[in-house]
Amino acid sequence: MPLTLNNIAKQGEHGSTMMPVIQGVGRAAIEIAAVLRGAVFRGALGGAGSENVQGEQQQLLDVLSDEIFLDEMRSTGFVCAVGSEEQEELLVIEEYSHADYLVLVDPLDGSSNLDVDGPVGTIFSIVKRKTANADRPHVSDTLQSGREVIAAGYVLYGPSTMLVCSVGEGVDGYTFNPSTARFELSHGNMRIPETGGYYSVNESNADQWADNMGAKLENLKAETGLGMRYVGAMVADMHRTILKGGVFLYPADSKNTTGKLRLLYEAIPMGFIMEQAGGKSMSSDGVAVLDLQPEALHQRVPVYLGSTTKVDILLG
Ligand code: AHM
Ligand code: MG
């Protein structure tokens, strides 16, 4: 019998309490994958005609995925609030506002790939509230560093749908099996290789990068001879980096002066997964992503995630 998401209950200090929430992520992933597959037939591709809080055009599928994710978090009964890329404010789940956990999510990451049938993903992390259970959850409950995250992960909607997660005891990947309609453990104890791999970055921004990153990347390329791969969806680029090795980066540049990727629902969950897979997650030389103290729900940071050797050469 293959192991399913129930396997999480056996892991770490928080496995049994996290299992229902991660099962909820799994249900959302199955629904989002189905919506993605049928989107072209339902006229669900294209813009929603609205902007999110970051001033980015929302795709219809961003909005749908956000609704699906929120509904599934509500149905777990364990989540008091959700902070989403697609919502300006923290969304309190009124029926369960006394519950213990908050979820931070990018419901559909890499949505610029949608029109070209490219891979996209969902990124999430789970924290325990700081406010008393009797109180209404507050945005301050989300402003916890990556060291306080209890569980995190991502879903990759590629040729198959994969849910990769960690409750702080290594990283496991589960692939959705359409014949059993379950996520089954397919990639146990994922570890990033120290050798080989690729560098992954939008190099067209190189002349605008801050922190002398253009020269630093040239040095990494010269020292390691790494090849380059870039999908433009963080989930797909990170998944390849974990499986094949190398480094994924999104530095600050003159357009995105504090970086592009969001700390709470992109950098921290991916940083958590990368560290749990044996790699390194930095936001600048000497500052780990997981040590940053968040100041705002939609804050952006530079990221350098990959094998320890490659990140050290890059930032050194
Ligand atoms: P999104 O959350 O609005 O999809 O934006 C985040 C995406 C990441 O998936 C990806 O790493 C990055 O933006 C790509 O940015 P760029 O197109 O500037 O290379
Ligand atoms: Mg995103």
Side-chain angles (χ1 to χ4, degrees), residues 198-214:
Y198 302 94
Y199 73 95
S200 184
V201 64
N202 187 341
E203 214 166 353
S204 68
N205 296 328
D207 59 349
Q208 297 159 39
W209 285 337
D211 305 321
N212 201 26
M213 204 45 66

Side-chain angles (χ1 to χ4, degrees), residues 52 54 56-57 62 85-86 106-113 119-121 123 201-205 230-237 248-250 253 255-256 260-262 265-266 300 303:
N52 65 15
Q54 3 252 333
E56 297 159 344
Q57 291 298 316
D62 282 324
E85 174 175 330
E86 303 307 329
D106 179 353
L108 200 59
D109 180 63
S111 44
S112 70
N113 275 354
V120 288
I123 312 174
V201 64
N202 187 341
E203 214 166 353
S204 68
N205 296 328
Y230 191 65
V231 171
M234 187 190 198
V235 172
D237 284 316
F248 167 83
L249 54 151
Y250 208 112
D253 60 43
K255 287 188 308 250
N256 305 291
K260 177 180 181 190
L261 299 176
R262 275 54 57 110
Y265 42 81
E266 293 176 325
R300 296 170 193 261
V303 295

